Amino acid sequence: MSELREAALQSKAWPFEEARRVLKRYQKTPPEKGYVLFETGYGPSGLPHIGTFGEVLRTTMIRRAFEAISDIPTRMICFSDDLDGMRKVPGNVPDQEMLKEHLQKPLTSVPDPFGTHESFGAHNNAMLRRFLDTFGFEYDFYSATEFYKSGQFDEVLKRAVEKYDEVMKVMLKSLREERAATYSIFLPIHPETGRVLYVPMKEVNAKDYTITFDDEDGKEWTLPVTGGNVKLQWKPDFGARWAALGVDFEMYGKDHSTNTPIYDRICEILGQRKPEHFTYELFLDETGQKISKSSGNGISIDEWLSYASTESLSYFMYLKPKTAKRLYFDVIPKAVDEYHQQLRAYAGQDLKARLNNPIWHIHGGAVPVSTLVVPFAMLLNLASVASAHDKETLWGFIRRYVPEATPESHPDLDAAAGFAVKYYEDFVRPHRVYRAPSELERAALLELRDALAGYDGPVEDEALQSVVYAVGREKFDPLRAWFTALYEVLLGASQGPRFGGFIALYGVAETVALIDKALVGELT
């Protein structure tokens, strides 16, 4: 056994813990299909949101961990439920009136309001695949419309007819009496209107695999359940899909957790072993509300990538998947800096520590070297005091601080400088509030100004931090109040970087000038 595999089998990192559960399925006999199948589901009722990305990324991390502990081949399927009827018009798409005319039709039968694809479902599927490809995920894409219409689902649909009463019994236990009276696991697609119908069944025929029902106008129809004429309700569909594909692992949000026994039991009734699953906590927007595709609240993938790297988003998704996360723009700077801290630490770690480091799970074996030698939070403060409108302005300061750095030799730093300017313009500058110093703070700032004006030591973080400490230690208890004053008076922020590092980056003379401005009220 390799050293990596031995360490991975002991690692307490959550992807390895999940991977070991999947491996237990095949301790005695390998999978008949020849591989272990990981699946993620996507409901394309709206533009893909960042939670969808998190699901695929986390599943990929578990898949990568599984491949470290086993030689069994793996596959990952991203399955789009695009045959679902459009129940409401998403609030964040154009041409709302047109879309209202197509309510209850399968998403792949609804015209694309953006005018770029053959249907709304196809448009949203394309958006999903675009961002999955941006992150380099390895996956096979499955469309429910194709899955149903091509016949790939036919055998399981026939089995659902044969086991109709047994599956219905599972479902009826979970429904209120009023809903149970008209419920069926089958949803016919009307041959004339194309709408997905929620109607009771008059007959489910296991001899010819047909269903008979009356439509909303009282007209009787008989349709085969195969070939895309009928789809399953979403809960039975979950379990039936597991059975049809032989899914070994799927994760989903906490809002699905109460349905897990239903999905599992239906999968077993339809003849297959239930998969392993992992329930993650939900993502919340800035107000604490669950993010949703149809409302478009929270932050989108494209928005995050406007202000930070793909790796920082991956890092954010790795952390504590069983804890609810507030996902808004203000989490980005911390995620960027923590990602690079972990990346720098990785190089000096032993194998056990590396397997517990998020970096291994983000990059696998191909771990890059961090070239972000100035923290993102520091770049934001620099953009603020320098009123920078482009990254070249920041580079003027960076070159003095790190003389050997260039955009070519330090691509992480160059990218972060550009991101910092944009983030500052959009989120920091509009909310920046300076205040005047108190008498105690004014006296301390004058002392710091004079100490810096006469400073002839090394322009280095620690040396300058000592100067700042020396001034504050005499006047402030707790010392934190001194740094809060520096941030609020000089930077217009409630918190900030190590101030000695900021002085080294911004410049000693420039910091003296900044204090002078604050003392005469120019900043407020």
Side-chain angles (χ1 to χ4, degrees):
M1 185 184 296
S2 72
E3 185 184 2
L4 171 64
R5 181 162 294 180
E6 194 170 346
L9 285 167
Q10 303 300 319
S11 175
K12 289 184 166 54
W14 65 262
F16 284 118
E17 291 181 338
E18 294 307 309
R20 290 194 291 269
R21 285 202 302 119
V22 177
L23 183 59
K24 277 184 182 177
R25 293 169 69 85
Y26 297 113
Q27 278 185 328
K28 294 180 180 176
T29 54
E32 285 184 27
K33 57 186 179 292
Y35 54 85
V36 165
L37 181 59
F38 297 85
E39 187 193 39
T40 67
Y42 166 56
S45 56
L47 305 180
H49 66 52
I50 210 160
T52 310
F53 160 78
E55 196 168 294
V56 179
L57 174 77
R58 289 165 171 173
T59 303
T60 296
M61 288 176 172
I62 296 167
R63 179 188 184 188
R64 186 177 284 141
F66 181 88
E67 290 170 346
I69 62 173
S70 172
D71 295 321
I72 302 173
T74 65
R75 279 184 73 197
M76 185 165 82
I77 286 176
C78 294
F79 196 102
S80 172
D81 293 311
D82 55 18
L83 198 60
D84 287 353
M86 184 175 70
R87 293 196 177 196
K88 63 179 181 179
V89 176
N92 59 341
V93 298
D95 218 343
Q96 303 261 313
E97 291 305 313
M98 178 277 289
L99 289 175
K100 286 178 185 174
E101 297 173 15
H102 297 276
L103 286 171
Q104 303 306 329
K105 286 185 180 177
L107 292 157
T108 43
S109 299
V110 176
D112 178 17
F114 296 92
T116 57
H117 292 77
E118 61 269 24
S119 69
F120 187 37
H123 175 275
N124 292 341
N125 287 342
M127 296 300 101
L128 172 73
R129 298 181 72 170
R130 177 179 67 82
F131 84 67
L132 296 182
D133 293 342
T134 297
F135 285 82
F137 292 123
E138 293 178 17
Y139 66 96
D140 295 315
F141 183 79
Y142 273 55
S143 155
T145 301
E146 293 174 15
F147 197 59
Y148 273 90
K149 290 185 175 180
S150 67
Q152 288 175 274
F153 215 179
D154 281 359
E155 288 309 308
V156 166
L157 288 166
K158 288 178 180 178
R159 214 173 301 144
V161 171
E162 294 165 354
K163 302 281 188 178
Y164 182 75
D165 290 340
E166 204 173 339
V167 176
M168 280 290 289
K169 187 177 178 182
V170 172
M171 288 306 307
L172 292 175
K173 283 181 186 175
S174 69
L175 300 174
R176 293 192 303 272
E177 187 176 341
E178 184 182 348
R179 178 98 194 277
T182 60
Y183 182 86
S184 169
I185 63 170
F186 293 117
L187 301 178
I189 298 174
H190 199 290
E192 292 177 348
T193 67
R195 285 180 160 77
V196 179
L197 302 181
Y198 291 78
V199 291
M201 295 297 104
K202 296 175 78 172
E203 184 183 6
V204 176
N205 192 328
K207 292 180 181 176
D208 60 3
Y209 301 107
T210 60
I211 57 170
T212 301
F213 60 93
D214 290 341
D215 65 17
E216 300 103 318
D217 298 325
K219 183 177 179 181
E220 183 177 280
W221 297 86
T222 297
L223 297 177
V225 296
T226 54
N229 292 290
V230 173
K231 75 175 298 294
L232 289 165
Q233 289 259 19
W234 71 273
K235 289 179 189 176
D237 187 82
F238 231 102
R241 190 168 72 223
W242 288 348
L245 294 168
V247 174
D248 292 297
F249 179 90
E250 180 156 357
M251 67 162 55
Y252 37 76
K254 186 180 76 170
D255 48 349
H256 280 275
S257 60
T258 55
N259 296 321
T260 298
I262 295 173
Y263 306 153
D264 284 348
R265 184 65 193 124
I266 289 173
C267 179
E268 291 170 337
I269 290 170
L270 297 178
Q272 290 295 328
R273 184 182 181 184
K274 66 185 182 185
E276 306 303 315
H277 10 66
F278 177 91
T279 303
Y280 58 85
E281 264 288 358
L282 303 177
F283 296 104
L284 311 175
D285 66 12
E286 73 276 23
T287 66
Q289 299 299 307
K290 174 191 167 187
I291 61 172
S292 111
K293 292 185 292 291
S294 57
S295 62
N297 59 332
I299 178 173
S300 73
I301 312 262
D302 288 331
E303 285 170 333
W304 184 294
L305 298 184
S306 296
Y307 303 105
S309 66
T310 57
E311 293 83 4
S312 64
L313 178 53
S314 298
Y315 173 80
F316 180 84
M317 289 293 173
Y318 175 87
L319 299 175
K320 297 180 181 177
K322 288 190 175 286
T323 300
K325 281 194 182 62
R326 185 176 162 279
L327 181 53
Y328 201 58
F329 295 98
D330 53 5
V331 305
I332 293 175
K334 185 170 184 276
V336 172
D337 283 336
E338 287 186 0
Y339 163 76
H340 282 278
Q341 287 166 12
Q342 295 284 7
L343 189 55
R344 285 189 292 272
Y346 186 88
Q349 290 174 330
D350 61 19
L351 182 58
K352 179 181 177 182
R354 285 183 170 187
L355 295 183
N356 285 323
N357 188 326
I359 296 303
W360 191 92
H361 301 275
I362 293 167
H363 293 287
V367 175
V369 174
S370 173
T371 61
L372 186 68
V373 293
V374 179
F376 190 67
M378 187 88 81
L379 292 172
L380 284 176
N381 288 119
L382 180 60
S384 178
V385 297
S387 297
H389 298 292
D390 54 52
K391 66 180 178 181
E392 285 69 32
T393 303
L394 299 191
W395 268 105
F397 295 94
I398 292 168
R399 286 189 185 93
R400 185 172 57 192
Y401 182 66
V402 193
E404 71 276 12
T406 66
E408 293 72 30
S409 66
H410 289 65
D412 293 335
L413 180 55
D414 186 51
F419 288 138
V421 170
K422 181 166 176 49
Y423 190 96
Y424 161 70
E425 287 285 345
D426 291 350
F427 298 109
V428 178
R429 189 162 68 92
H431 305 290
R432 190 172 52 168
V433 179
Y434 292 93
R435 68 170 176 84
S438 68
E439 285 306 311
L440 174 64
E441 292 164 351
R442 174 176 288 276
L445 283 167
L446 273 168
E447 188 175 330
L448 177 61
R449 180 224 179 273
D450 292 342
L452 292 175
Y455 182 77
D456 60 359
V459 183
E460 295 173 353
D461 299 16
E462 290 305 322
L464 289 163
Q465 186 76 354
S466 296
V467 175
V468 180
Y469 262 117
V471 173
R473 196 179 295 117
E474 293 179 7
K475 294 180 170 58
F476 294 89
D477 184 21
L479 189 58
R480 182 185 303 166
W482 168 227
F483 289 98
T484 300
L486 290 171
Y487 303 143
E488 292 178 351
V489 173
L490 300 180
L491 303 180
S494 58
Q495 54 190 355
R498 278 175 62 84
F499 208 74
F502 171 76
I503 297 170
L505 176 61
Y506 186 49
V508 175
E510 286 79 2
T511 304
V512 170
L514 182 65
I515 295 172
D516 286 340
K517 284 184 178 180
L519 292 174
V520 298
E522 282 188 28
L523 297 183
T524 55

